[in-house]
């Protein structure tokens, strides 16, 4: 199946009881057994649940993987990946990444003896310089949150293969509609399914997808042993969301392009971060590894004034000021005080997360209304 068909049918079977076209919400914690071990493949819903299973198959299908795992949040999915490690192990991560991922790495796992290196990965030789016998995982976010840097997944995967490391890619911003990291050599794809996969700002969820059976088994063990799973109702919602991922993404990309171009021409705007621009430093990599450029855009205003940025996000009306992204409705955020407040100011400013930076998740409303809203708020 091609991608658009996979979003609707990938990994799915009609329900065997009554032929329900959508999988029922199996709102149950446990399953009757005829004798100990005498069950139909489901024992307890932390381990397996039919609705979650249908969703996990959909995750695997759209990411061109073999095994999907669903978690109670994106951070719970990342938590499971880092639990593959032992004290003394090291991770090399992108230095521009979601603030909550940075917080999980530095405030939780660092205390368990895992060492994290944060570096710009646009130049992949930076990565090789940090590799030693303790290095186990390379953590890549691309496009990065919120600076929209693009990292060459294929080039990083060549390094990870050379040193026998695990390459994990957070594909939240791109979604498999735009890029499929497993095809580019990644070992693990991670999602905050809260965002584009769910697509309607009504659920918090995380996902992992892998191809390798042994790695999948280790992750399934952690998923069950640590227990950060999502419930059947949420599984149903994300499964429903995935069925329109391709049409939503197409419109997010169209609107994103128009908003990026509008902002670039605005006299009060200093810089627009969007990988579709030819002048974006990683545009050629974006063009080669992504099918389009998405609906996430960050920009700064002239003067780099904190109060000006706050005034703009307060004045926006069609764009809602809120954490999160990837829903049908347009959202705006102020990373320095919101999503990236957990990164120290000196660290975040090194990557460009300055006080005037505003992040937009461009939704799928009429473009004229989005532009008019930005116009009134910036002017
Ligand atoms: O929020 P949660 O589902 O736990 O996912 C965490 C996460 C992981 N990776 C990326 C790239 C993310 O953007 C996120 C969550 N991000 C936001 C809430 C945000 O507004 O950026």
């Amino acid at each position: 199946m091609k991608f658009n068909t996979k979003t609707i049918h990938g990994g799915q079977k009609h329900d065997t009881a009554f032929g329900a076209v959508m999988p029922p919400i199996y709102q149950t914690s446990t399953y009757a057994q005829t004798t100990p071990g005498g069950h139909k493949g489901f024992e307890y819903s932390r381990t397996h649940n039919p609705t979650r299973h249908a969703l996990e198959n959909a995750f695997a299908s759209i990411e061109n993987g073999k095994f999907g795992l669903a978690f109670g949040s994106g951070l719970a999915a990342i938590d499971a990946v880092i639990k593959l490690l032992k004290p003394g192990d090291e991770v090399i991560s992108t230095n521009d990444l979601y603030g909550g991922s940075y917080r999980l790495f530095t405030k939780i796992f660092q205390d368990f003896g895992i060492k994290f290196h944060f570096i710009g990965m646009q130049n992949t030789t930076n990565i090789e310089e940090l590799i030693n016998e303790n290095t186990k995982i390379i953590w890549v976010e691309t496009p990065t949150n919120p600076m929209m840097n693009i990292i060459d997944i294929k080039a990083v995967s060549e390094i990870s293969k050379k040193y026998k490391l695990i390459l994990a890619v957070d594909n939240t911003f791109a979604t498999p509609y735009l890029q499929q990291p497993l095809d580019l050599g990644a070992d693990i794809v991670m999602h905050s399914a809260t965002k584009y996969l769910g697509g309607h700002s009504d659920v918090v969820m995380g996902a992992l997808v892998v191809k390798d059976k042994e790695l999948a088994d280790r992750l399934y063990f952690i998923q069950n042993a640590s227990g950060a799973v999502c419930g059947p109702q949420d599984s149903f919602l994300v499964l429903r969301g995935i069925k329109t991922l391709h049409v939503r993404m197409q419109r997010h990309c169209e609107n994103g392009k128009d908003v990026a171009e509008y902002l670039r021409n605005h006299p009060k705007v200093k810089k627009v971060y969007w990988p579709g621009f030819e002048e974006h430093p990683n545009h050629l990599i974006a063009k080669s590894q992504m099918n389009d450029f998405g609906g996430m855009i960050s920009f700064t205003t002239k003067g780099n004034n904190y109060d000006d940025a706050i005034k703009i996000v307060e004045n926006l009306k069609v764009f809602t000021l809120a954490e999160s992204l990837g829903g049908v409705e347009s959202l705006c955020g102020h990373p320095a005080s919101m999503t990236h407040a957990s990164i120290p100011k000196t660290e975040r400013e090194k990557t460009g997360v300055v006080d005037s930076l505003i992040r937009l998740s461009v939704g799928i409303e009429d473009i004229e209304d989005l532009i008019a809203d930005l116009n009134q708020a910036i002017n």
Side-chain angles (χ1 to χ4, degrees):
M1 282 190 273
K2 293 176 74 180
F3 183 77
N4 296 346
T5 312
K6 279 185 174 184
T7 63
I8 296 163
H9 300 290
Q12 303 305 301
K13 292 188 197 107
H14 293 155
D15 174 56
T16 50
F18 299 106
V21 168
M22 276 300 282
I25 301 167
Y26 282 94
Q27 193 73 46
T28 186
S29 61
T30 192
Y31 307 81
Q33 306 190 16
T34 50
T35 184
H39 55 74
K40 297 177 179 171
F42 295 89
E43 275 175 291
Y44 185 61
S45 280
R46 174 168 23 78
T47 322
H48 297 113
N49 172 281
T51 319
R52 196 179 89 218
H53 189 61
L55 173 68
E56 290 177 330
N57 287 342
F59 285 152
S61 171
I62 59 175
E63 281 289 4
N64 291 343
K66 288 200 179 130
F67 307 95
L69 299 93
F71 293 85
S73 69
L75 286 178
I78 302 174
D79 178 270
V81 173
I82 305 302
K83 283 178 177 159
L84 291 166
L85 303 181
K86 299 210 164 17
D89 287 346
E90 297 188 14
V91 178
I92 303 173
S93 166
T94 18
N95 61 354
D96 178 39
L97 76 168
Y98 173 54
S101 309
Y102 179 87
R103 182 179 56 198
L104 176 65
F105 293 162
T106 56
K107 301 278 189 227
I108 304 281
F109 283 110
Q110 211 152 267
D111 288 348
F112 289 100
I114 294 164
K115 190 168 175 183
F116 294 87
H117 303 270
F118 297 95
I119 53 158
M121 290 191 182
Q122 290 88 315
N123 179 356
T124 48
T125 50
N126 288 347
I127 304 175
E128 250 180 305
E129 282 167 14
L130 284 171
I131 295 176
N132 62 47
E133 70 273 20
N134 297 323
T135 311
K136 296 285 154 48
I137 289 178
I138 302 179
W139 186 268
V140 166
E141 206 179 279
T142 182
T144 60
N145 180 357
M147 297 311 300
M148 308 302 297
N149 291 311
I150 302 294
I151 289 143
D152 186 341
I153 298 172
K154 207 162 167 205
V156 179
S157 86
E158 278 158 19
I159 296 171
S160 76
K161 282 182 177 41
K162 180 170 157 192
Y163 294 94
K164 299 192 169 43
L165 310 176
I166 293 172
L167 171 59
V169 176
D170 183 337
N171 205 26
T172 300
F173 269 36
T175 83
Y177 176 83
L178 295 181
Q179 81 191 0
Q180 290 163 316
L182 297 178
D183 289 350
L184 299 168
D187 302 290
I188 301 176
V189 176
M190 177 265 151
H191 279 276
S192 170
T194 315
K195 312 294 164 18
Y196 289 105
L197 299 190
H200 296 76
S201 305
D202 51 10
V203 64
V204 172
M205 189 186 285
L208 298 177
V209 180
V210 301
K211 274 185 173 165
D212 180 73
K213 169 92 170 65
E214 196 191 317
L215 183 57
D217 285 344
R218 290 172 67 199
L219 289 167
Y220 282 126
F221 179 84
I222 293 166
Q223 182 194 37
N224 181 49
S226 287
V229 294
C230 52
Q233 176 89 32
D234 287 353
S235 300
F236 177 88
L237 285 173
V238 173
L239 196 51
R240 181 162 80 161
I242 288 173
K243 287 177 193 287
T244 56
L245 176 65
H246 52 302
V247 284
R248 287 185 285 108
M249 284 307 293
Q250 185 179 348
R251 183 67 68 83
H252 283 296
C253 291
E254 288 165 11
N255 283 355
K257 179 172 190 288
D258 287 358
V259 166
E261 276 165 6
Y262 161 79
L263 289 171
R264 180 164 63 171
N265 293 323
H266 196 291
K268 290 191 179 167
V269 171
K270 185 171 173 209
K271 190 150 188 205
V272 183
Y273 299 88
W274 182 66
F277 288 143
E278 271 177 27
E279 67 267 25
H280 185 287
N282 320 116
H283 175 68
L284 291 179
I285 296 161
K287 226 170 135 181
S288 72
Q289 77 183 12
M290 297 169 74
N291 297 319
D292 206 331
F293 305 106
M296 292 302 300
I297 299 165
S298 294
F299 70 99
T300 53
T301 45
K302 288 187 181 148
N304 189 28
N305 188 305
Y306 184 93
D307 293 337
D308 287 350
I310 298 298
K311 219 176 274 170
I312 292 170
V313 294
E314 283 175 354
N315 284 345
L316 282 164
K317 291 185 175 67
V318 182
F319 283 83
T320 302
L321 175 60
E323 305 259 351
S324 204
L325 58 111
V328 289
E329 63 287 290
S330 292
L331 299 181
C332 65
H334 181 247
S337 65
M338 295 170 69
T339 48
H340 292 69
S342 53
I343 303 179
K345 187 174 160 81
T346 48
E347 282 304 308
R348 67 172 162 77
E349 286 194 337
K350 272 188 220 160
T351 60
V353 186
V354 294
D355 285 348
S356 74
L357 189 80
I358 292 171
R359 190 188 74 181
L360 301 178
S361 170
V362 180
I364 62 171
E365 300 94 337
D366 280 311
I367 187 63
E368 294 81 1
D369 291 328
L370 299 181
I371 302 279
D373 193 32
L374 286 163
N375 213 31
Q376 64 79 20
I378 298 172
N379 291 341

